[in-house]
Amino acid sequence: MEDMADTVEGRRLEMSGFGECDVNMVPPTEAWGDVGRMAVLGVVSAFSKFVTSIMNRTTCTNYETFLHHVTQRQRPNGLITVSNHASTFDDPGLLSWLIPWRYFATESEHGGIRWTMCTSEICAKNALVHKFFAAGKTVPITRGGGINQAVMGVMADRVSKGDWLHIFPEGRVTKVPNELGRLKWGLGKMLCDIDERGGPAPVVLPFWHSGMEKVKRYGVMWFYPFNRVHVTVGEPIDFADLTARCGKCRTDKSREDLFRSMTNRVEERMREVRAKNLEERHVHSD
């Protein structure tokens, strides 16, 4: 296994094992090699596309913007997509619908399929499950573990080198349809970590979706058919004025104020995209 380390507040961090999740240790991100990764991504995406395209109907506006930034951005420019979290099947279900088949099929060539984070209670509950999720480019994060977890640094490093990360800034499924819960500060911390690593500023692209809460209902294991899911992709959020302050924060309070400002900007843009999404559903309702 590759020797990985990162630092948080000057501490060297070691890698944890599969089935473990320690906020102060770097989680493993590779399992089963390229063949295993292609197998996991292939099976999961095929099932996800069946649920979202065959069992249900999914539509999207401004899809060209999403596709451009996912498949055509110039690396090492990274990408962070942010969305609401309405169902435990949002990822992989909705993300698989958005990603073209051909992009899944060529993952071993470009490595461009999204990374994401998942609560350790689900994706690191044992070594086998942890390896499956790692092969699917999903790493565990400890719920309630704060924004200084080692995994945050690992993902910031990935994005600073040109990878794509999808984040649910609410940090959990919101049980009220089309409500936006309180956003966590993790995205702000990550943007500053990327800036401090010297990486180019990533594109931060918001989208809002509605209908997934009916496809895979909270607390229910099975999937429901004959629903309409609609996605509205927004435009990239500009953080240049805020990331310029990342290296100038000398106190914890100033950093918290900066992260709060970044979070407020994300929330504002997500609310705008939500309004468009709901309007589009009404205009194009069956």
Side-chain angles (χ1 to χ4, degrees):
M1 181 180 296
E2 181 183 359
D3 180 27
M4 291 183 62
D6 205 339
T7 58
V8 174
E9 298 178 350
R11 293 174 290 129
R12 179 181 172 83
L13 304 176
E14 302 300 329
M15 178 177 282
S16 64
F18 286 107
E20 303 173 356
C21 188
D22 187 316
V23 296
N24 295 315
M25 298 182 75
V26 173
T29 57
E30 304 293 336
W32 302 337
D34 288 344
V35 173
R37 174 151 291 169
M38 292 299 296
V40 170
L41 291 175
V43 170
V44 171
S45 62
F47 174 75
S48 297
K49 286 177 179 291
F50 173 78
V51 171
T52 53
S53 298
I54 306 301
M55 289 179 60
N56 296 277
R57 182 167 67 94
T58 303
T59 55
C60 181
T61 56
N62 200 26
Y63 179 68
E64 296 79 9
T65 295
F66 175 88
L67 188 63
H68 170 78
H69 289 293
V70 167
T71 64
Q72 298 178 38
R73 73 182 185 282
Q74 295 297 311
R75 297 188 186 181
N77 294 311
L79 171 65
I80 300 177
T81 51
V82 295
S83 76
N84 58 310
H85 203 2
S87 165
T88 54
F89 194 59
D90 291 343
D91 191 350
L94 196 60
L95 271 293
S96 293
W97 184 87
L98 287 166
I99 301 170
W101 272 118
R102 64 182 181 278
Y103 204 62
F104 275 114
T106 53
E107 162 67 10
S108 61
E109 300 173 13
H110 53 69
I113 298 297
R114 66 91 188 96
W115 287 92
T116 193
M117 294 178 284
C118 165
T119 177
S120 59
E121 301 162 5
I122 295 176
C123 62
K125 63 181 180 180
N126 60 53
L128 180 60
V129 169
H130 195 166
K131 289 180 179 179
F132 178 84
F133 276 95
K137 305 185 76 169
T138 302
V139 292
I141 189 168
T142 300
R143 182 176 295 169
I147 62 176
N148 291 317
Q149 300 183 49
V151 65
M152 296 290 288
V154 173
M155 292 295 98
D157 192 57
R158 292 276 182 180
V159 176
S160 71
K161 296 175 180 176
D163 282 3
W164 167 25
L165 172 68
H166 181 72
I167 292 178
F168 297 106
E170 296 163 283
R172 63 183 63 217
V173 172
T174 299
K175 299 176 185 177
V176 180
N178 294 311
E179 285 294 317
L180 182 62
R182 186 178 72 86
L183 305 190
K184 310 297 185 182
W185 293 355
L187 176 59
K189 170 71 162 51
M190 185 162 296
L191 290 175
C192 281
D193 283 349
I194 293 168
D195 181 76
E196 291 164 7
R197 281 165 166 76
V203 172
V204 179
L205 186 68
F207 65 87
W208 188 275
H209 59 88
S210 52
M212 285 298 293
E213 72 279 357
K214 297 179 180 179
V215 173
K216 174 70 168 62
R217 300 175 186 177
Y218 189 83
V220 178
M221 293 299 295
W222 53 86
F223 299 87
Y224 291 82
F226 313 125
N227 299 289
R228 182 193 172 202
V229 177
H230 183 61
V231 184
T232 302
V233 177
E235 297 298 330
I237 305 173
D238 185 3
F239 289 97
D241 60 317
L242 296 177
T243 53
R245 295 164 47 192
C246 287
K248 300 176 182 178
C249 296
R250 303 305 178 192
T251 66
D252 289 342
K253 183 180 185 306
S254 63
R255 287 179 66 84
E256 289 176 2
D257 289 343
L258 176 58
F259 298 159
R260 184 180 296 108
S261 296
M262 291 175 166
T263 302
N264 289 343
R265 185 166 297 180
V266 173
E267 180 177 351
E268 179 182 354
R269 294 296 296 275
M270 288 187 69
R271 290 188 184 279
E272 292 173 359
V273 180
R274 177 184 64 178
K276 288 184 178 180
N277 180 274
L278 299 182
E279 180 182 358
E280 289 164 356
R281 284 192 71 101
H282 176 72
V283 170
H284 300 289
S285 59
D286 295 333

